[in-house]
Amino acid sequence: MLTATAGTARDEVLSAFGPRLAQSPEVLERLVSYTKIFNVAAEDLHAKWEAYTLTPAAQRDDDDLSVPTLAHLDDLQTELLRKQQAAKQEAVLGSADSLLNVREVNPFTEGKMFTNESLQNLFSEGGQDKLGGFRTPAKVKRKVVPKDASTYSAGRFSASKGTPGGPSTPKTPVSMRFRPGDISPGSPLTPMRGMGERTTPVASPNAKVFADRLNKNKTEETLNDQVPLQKSKPDDAVPCEITLLPGQQTGGYRYMYERLMERGDYLDDRINTFADLITEAVQSRVKEEDRADVHVQHPGNPSQDTLFTVGRVCCDAVVEKAKLNDQSVVLEASRAIGAGDRVKINLREIPGYALFPGQIIGLEGMNASGRLINATKLYQPQLPAKATTTPSQLAALYPEDNPASERPVNVFIANGPYTLDDSLQYEPFEELVVEIEKEMPDVVILQGPFVDANHPMIEAGNVDMELDELFRVCIAPRVTRILQARKDNIKVIMIPSTRDACSEWVSFPQPSLAAGLDERAALERRRILGIPGEVMLFPNPVQFTVNEVVFACCSTDVLWQIAAEELARVPRPDAQHSGDPILGHKISRLFRHMMSQRSFYPLFPPALDDACLDLSRSAALELQATPDVLVVGSRLQYTARKVDGCLCINPGLLVKGRAGGTFAKMCIWPLDMARVRAMVKQRDAEAMDVDEQQVEEHAIANALDERCRVEIQRI
C-alpha cells in the first residue's frame, strides 16, 4: 500500500513538472519527499517553484529554470521551511488581523488605570526601570557619510560649501545613471555621438553574464515536431495578408468616465447571454420531450426538487484580497434571473472543478433552505464557433500561378520587457533583432512593455532622458532594422502593454501604441516615437488574420491573474469524471477559461495592481470566435499547447529579471490547395448547371493545429 502511494505521488509530481523531470531521479525523489514533509499537493508545489524562479536568488546564475536542480531545491526548501514556521507561529499567536490582536494589553498593568498613589508605589518598588521601555527615546544626532565618497562625481550631486547640513548623499551614483550617450541603435555598447555628455558607455553588471550565457538559442519546447521547419527565402516573399477583425479598439478614447450603472448592466447582460447559451447546450443533451423542463430558475427559492440556474462565481468574504476556497463560493444571479441574489454553493459532490471570481457557470442542485445549493453538476459554457474559410477565399489568398503559395509562413512572437533589470541598453532586444535578421521571417509580432514603467531604473528616476526619447533611441531604430532585413517584405506588428511608460493609455482595453483622440494626434504621436510608417500598430488585446489564420493576442498577464484567484480540484484517476486531461494541466486550463468565457479578461473583480478595466469598452474584450492561435504573454512557464483545437502559446518573457528569457517561432504550412481549387471548380460547374445561380459554399475548417510547428526558443 505504501509503494502504491509513493508511486501515485511520483506520478503526480511528473504530471505537474513535466516528463523531463524523469531524467533527474534525485530531483524527482526530493520533490516527492517535499510533498510529504510539507503536506502540499504536487500542483501547488509546482506553483511555488514557478514563484521561486521569479526571485533574484533563482536568477543569479544563468541556469535553465524549466527543470529544478538540487542547488535550487535547497533554496526552495529554505523558503518552504520559513513559510511553514510562519504558519505555525500565526496559528499559535494569531494573525495581525485576528480579533486577539485588535486591542493591545499592557502585561505590566493588566489593563488597570494608574492613580497618583499606585504610580508612587510603582516607582518605589522599582517600576521606574520597567517603565523605561515605554518612554519616548531621546533624539540622537547622526551624521550620514557615504561609504565611498569617490564613487560620487562632483557637480549637481555635490553640496555647496555654504550648506549648513554639510555634504549630502546622492540617491544614485552618477556612474549608474542612464544617459542617451550610453547606447546606440546599432550596438548596445557603443555610444552615440552628440547625444550625451558621456563618451564611455556604462555596461550593466550582468551584461557580460548575459553575453556569455551557455543556453543561447536553445530550443526549450517544440509542438508538432512532425511538421517540417522551412525557413523563408529573402528574395521571394510568401503571400501574406494581414487584416484586423471588426470591433477592435484601434482609436483612443477618454477613460475614467465609466458609470456604475454601465458596469452593472454589463455584468447583468453577460450573465443573461451565457444563461441562454448554457440552457441551449443542456437542452441538446436531453430528450426532446423533456427539453421544456430545462429552464433557468431563481437560485434562492427554497425547493425540494432539483433546480437549474446560471450565475457568476463570487467570493463570500469581507476581508480585502481574500482568496476563493471551497467554503466561500457563492453564485450571483442577474436581476432578471434572481434579482441579483447571492447563494452559497456546496461543492462536496463535485469530483473535479476549476472556478474563479467572475466566471459564468450553470449548475444543478437542491436548495432546500433557500440559503445553500448542494450542487450535483456544473456546466461550463461551450466554446465559440471555430474560425473557417471558404474555398474561394483560400484560392484568392494563395494564387495558383505563384510558386510561393506552396511555402509556409514563418512568424516570430516576443513579449516584453526587452531589457535587463539593471540596464536600459536593451541587450536582449538587440539579440532578438540579430536573430530576426538571420532567419528573416514573414511576420514579427512584438508585444509590450517596450519601455517598462515597472523597470527599477525608471521607477527610481535614474534616466537622464525623456521616456519617449528612450523609445525613439532604443526601440524604433531596431524595428527599422527588422523591416530592412528583407527589403520591407517583413510584416511587423507592435502591441502595447498597460505597463508601457510611453503609452498615453493605461486602461484595458488599450488603444495602439501611438493612438490619439483623432487621426492628426495619432500621426504626431507616431512621429514623436519614431515608429516607421510600415509598422502595424495594433491595440491590446487584438484579433486579426494572417491570410486565413485567426490570431488573438494579449500582452496583459491574464493567465497569472486568473491562476492567483483560481480554485481547482483535480479529480483522482479513479474518479468518475476524470476523462478530461486539460482539467489536470494548469496552464491549459487557464487558456480554456479564456475561450469558454469568450473574453480576454474574464476575471472580475479585476486585479488591482495590473488591470484598469474599462467595461464601457467591453466589446473589444470579447472573443468573436475560437481563434486558430491564442497568444497570451505571461510570467508563467512558457508553453505551446493544443487546447480544444486552438494553438495556445505563452512565448514567455524575453527578459526575466537580470537573465534572458524566451520567444516563440511558428511555421504555418498552407492547406492542400490542389484539393481546395478542385472544390472551387466543382462549385463553378454546379453554378453553371443551375443557370448561374449562386451555389452556397461549404466553409473549410482551418485545422491549424495539425499543420503548424511551434518552437519556444531561448534568446
Side-chain angles (χ1 to χ4, degrees):
M1 185 67 180
L2 183 61
T3 305
T5 304
T8 303
R10 188 177 293 103
D11 294 339
E12 291 176 353
V13 171
L14 284 174
S15 176
F17 284 80
R20 291 179 57 190
L21 189 62
Q23 302 175 3
S24 305
E26 296 182 2
V27 176
L28 176 60
E29 294 301 327
R30 179 82 69 88
L31 291 173
V32 171
S33 65
Y34 284 175
T35 60
K36 300 176 182 178
I37 295 174
F38 299 104
N39 192 22
V40 61
E43 188 172 354
D44 294 337
L45 183 62
H46 182 258
K48 295 179 183 295
W49 164 252
E50 288 184 342
Y52 166 75
T53 58
L54 300 176
T55 61
Q59 298 174 1
R60 62 176 180 267
D61 299 323
D62 196 15
D63 294 338
D64 181 11
L65 298 178
S66 60
V67 178
T69 61
L70 292 177
H72 286 121
L73 287 184
D74 292 336
D75 295 340
L76 180 62
Q77 179 180 354
T78 303
E79 182 68 15
L80 293 174
L81 287 172
R82 185 186 63 81
K83 291 184 178 180
Q84 187 183 53
Q85 189 66 24
K88 291 181 179 179
Q89 184 177 2
E90 181 178 343
V92 175
L93 302 178
S95 62
D97 298 331
S98 175
L99 294 177
L100 297 176
N101 294 330
V102 172
R103 175 177 175 268
E104 291 188 6
V105 179
N106 190 333
F108 184 76
T109 61
E110 298 180 350
K112 298 180 181 179
M113 294 185 62
F114 284 115
T115 62
N116 291 334
E117 182 178 357
S118 61
L119 190 60
Q120 292 296 332
N121 295 334
L122 179 65
F123 278 103
S124 63
E125 295 174 0
Q128 184 174 1
D129 296 334
K130 298 179 181 179
L131 287 176
F134 298 98
R135 293 176 178 172
T136 303
K139 293 184 179 180
V140 180
K141 294 183 179 180
R142 294 182 176 89
K143 184 177 181 181
V144 179
V145 180
K147 293 182 179 180
D148 186 5
S150 62
T151 59
Y152 303 107
S153 303
R156 56 176 175 152
F157 289 112
S158 301
S160 61
K161 295 181 180 180
T163 304
S168 61
T169 304
K171 183 177 181 180
T172 305
V174 174
S175 59
M176 294 299 292
R177 296 178 68 87
F178 178 81
R179 296 187 179 185
D182 293 342
I183 188 169
S184 72
S187 173
L189 299 179
T190 304
M192 296 181 64
R193 297 181 179 178
M195 291 195 64
E197 302 173 6
R198 303 187 63 89
T199 57
T200 303
V202 179
S204 69
N206 291 282
K208 189 176 186 304
V209 177
F210 173 77
D212 297 337
R213 63 196 183 281
L214 300 178
N215 54 1
K216 181 178 181 180
N217 296 334
K218 178 184 177 183
T219 300
E220 298 288 353
E221 185 176 332
T222 302
L223 178 66
N224 288 341
D225 54 357
Q226 76 279 2
V227 177
L229 178 63
Q230 180 177 326
K231 297 183 179 180
S232 303
K233 294 184 178 181
D235 53 349
D236 192 6
V238 176
C240 187
E241 182 178 337
I242 299 179
T243 307
L244 269 177
L245 295 185
Q248 308 303 306
Q249 187 62 55
T250 55
Y253 62 92
R254 299 185 185 276
Y255 53 92
M256 297 182 66
Y257 284 87
E258 179 189 20
R259 293 189 294 269
L260 190 61
M261 184 62 69
E262 289 180 342
R263 176 164 292 206
D265 291 342
Y266 165 78
L267 296 175
D268 259 14
D269 293 342
R270 184 169 170 80
I271 295 175
N272 295 333
T273 300
F274 277 89
D276 296 337
L277 295 173
I278 296 175
T279 302
E280 182 180 353
V282 174
Q283 288 177 344
S284 63
R285 302 176 186 177
V286 300
K287 297 180 180 180
E288 187 174 357
E289 57 270 17
D290 298 333
R291 292 179 181 176
D293 298 333
V294 179
H295 59 278
V296 181
Q297 305 174 33
H298 192 302
N301 287 340
S303 174
Q304 298 294 333
D305 299 328
T306 301
L307 65 86
F308 168 72
T309 188
V310 177
R312 181 168 63 94
V313 175
C314 300
C315 180
D316 183 22
V318 295
V319 182
E320 187 178 359
K321 296 183 179 180
K323 301 295 183 181
L324 201 66
N325 58 65
D326 55 358
Q327 300 297 322
S328 64
V329 180
V330 296
L331 190 74
E332 180 184 78
S334 66
R335 285 173 287 185
I337 295 175
D341 284 354
R342 289 188 174 187
V343 183
K344 195 172 182 179
I345 305 175
N346 181 10
L347 299 170
R348 292 180 180 177
E349 298 184 23
I350 308 297
Y353 55 81
L355 304 174
F356 62 91
Q359 183 181 17
I360 309 297
I361 62 170
L363 63 83
E364 284 185 7
M366 184 177 295
N367 187 1
S369 64
R371 298 185 298 272
L372 176 66
I373 300 178
N374 294 305
T376 56
K377 289 183 181 179
L378 295 182
Y379 296 102
Q380 299 291 343
Q382 289 185 340
L383 271 64
K386 294 184 178 180
T388 57
T389 313
T390 61
S392 59
Q393 292 173 336
L394 289 172
L397 291 171
Y398 301 96
E400 187 175 3
D401 56 351
N402 188 355
S405 300
E406 304 296 331
R407 296 205 309 270
V409 176
N410 288 287
V411 183
F412 273 38
I413 306 173
N415 199 90
Y418 293 91
T419 187
L420 304 176
D421 268 0
D422 60 344
S423 168
L424 288 175
Q425 297 176 357
Y426 286 82
E427 297 95 337
F429 190 35
E430 175 67 21
E431 293 288 341
L432 177 65
V433 173
V434 172
E435 183 70 14
I436 292 174
E437 290 176 332
K438 182 177 68 174
E439 298 285 340
M440 289 182 290
D442 303 286
V443 181
V444 176
I445 302 175
L446 301 176
Q447 296 194 144
F450 299 99
V451 179
D452 191 0
N454 294 345
H455 192 281
M457 294 180 66
I458 294 178
E459 284 186 328
N462 298 335
V463 185
D464 289 345
M465 62 192 307
E466 296 289 339
L467 297 181
D468 289 349
E469 184 182 357
L470 179 63
F471 183 96
R472 186 170 63 251
V473 171
C474 300
I475 301 294
R478 291 185 169 97
V479 174
T480 303
R481 287 169 51 194
I482 295 176
L483 290 171
Q484 296 173 351
R486 286 180 59 184
K487 299 179 181 180
D488 296 335
N489 284 331
I490 296 181
K491 309 290 186 181
V492 179
I493 298 173
M494 298 183 71
I495 301 172
S497 167
T498 52
R499 287 166 45 186
D500 262 309
C502 54
S503 175
E504 297 184 3
W505 275 266
V506 295
S507 56
F508 190 74
Q510 182 183 17
S512 59
L513 195 61
L517 295 178
D518 52 40
E519 185 177 356
R520 181 178 179 181
L523 292 175
E524 177 64 17
R525 187 66 186 157
R526 182 187 280 261
R527 185 194 65 81
I528 292 174
L529 295 177
I531 302 176
E534 298 82 2
V535 176
M536 300 180 181
L537 300 181
F538 285 176
N540 172 37
V542 63
Q543 300 172 73
F544 60 94
T545 60
V546 178
N547 290 343
E548 80 283 2
V549 180
V550 178
F551 279 76
C553 300
C554 179
S555 62
T556 301
D557 197 348
V558 185
L559 300 180
W560 176 274
Q561 296 174 22
I562 297 178
E565 302 292 338
E566 185 192 37
L567 169 66
R569 177 193 292 172
V570 180
R572 297 183 180 275
D574 56 348
Q576 183 179 0
H577 302 282
S578 60
D580 188 2
I582 295 180
L583 186 61
H585 190 273
K586 187 171 186 177
I587 298 183
S588 299
R589 193 171 65 228
L590 299 176
F591 277 113
R592 175 185 277 181
H593 284 325
M594 296 180 63
M595 292 188 292
S596 65
Q597 296 295 307
R598 308 187 180 198
S599 174
F600 281 102
Y601 201 92
L603 184 66
F604 190 88
L608 298 177
D609 57 345
D610 200 17
C612 300
L613 198 61
D614 193 330
L615 294 182
S616 64
R617 305 281 172 167
S618 59
L621 299 176
E622 298 177 359
L623 284 171
Q624 302 179 16
T626 298
D628 297 312
V629 183
L630 177 59
V631 180
V632 181
S634 174
R635 72 192 83 173
L636 292 176
Q637 179 74 7
Y638 52 79
T639 188
R641 290 187 169 270
K642 300 179 186 179
V643 180
D644 298 324
C646 175
L647 282 183
C648 297
I649 302 175
N650 171 24
L653 308 182
L654 193 70
V655 176
K656 282 195 170 183
R658 300 182 179 182
T662 55
F663 65 97
K665 298 164 61 176
M666 300 179 64
C667 183
I668 305 173
W669 287 85
L671 289 167
D672 187 357
M673 294 306 301
R675 181 182 176 187
V676 172
R677 294 187 184 100
M679 295 176 64
V680 174
K681 292 179 180 179
Q682 181 180 359
R683 186 210 60 168
D684 294 340
E686 292 176 355
M688 294 178 63
D689 293 341
V690 292
D691 298 331
E692 297 184 357
Q693 292 182 2
Q694 185 175 3
V695 178
E696 182 180 359
E697 286 189 290
H698 296 285
I700 301 175
N702 291 337
L704 184 72
D705 56 335
E706 302 298 334
R707 57 186 176 96
C708 176
R709 179 189 180 104
V710 182
E711 292 183 354
I712 305 296
Q713 181 174 313
R714 192 163 293 277
I715 190 61

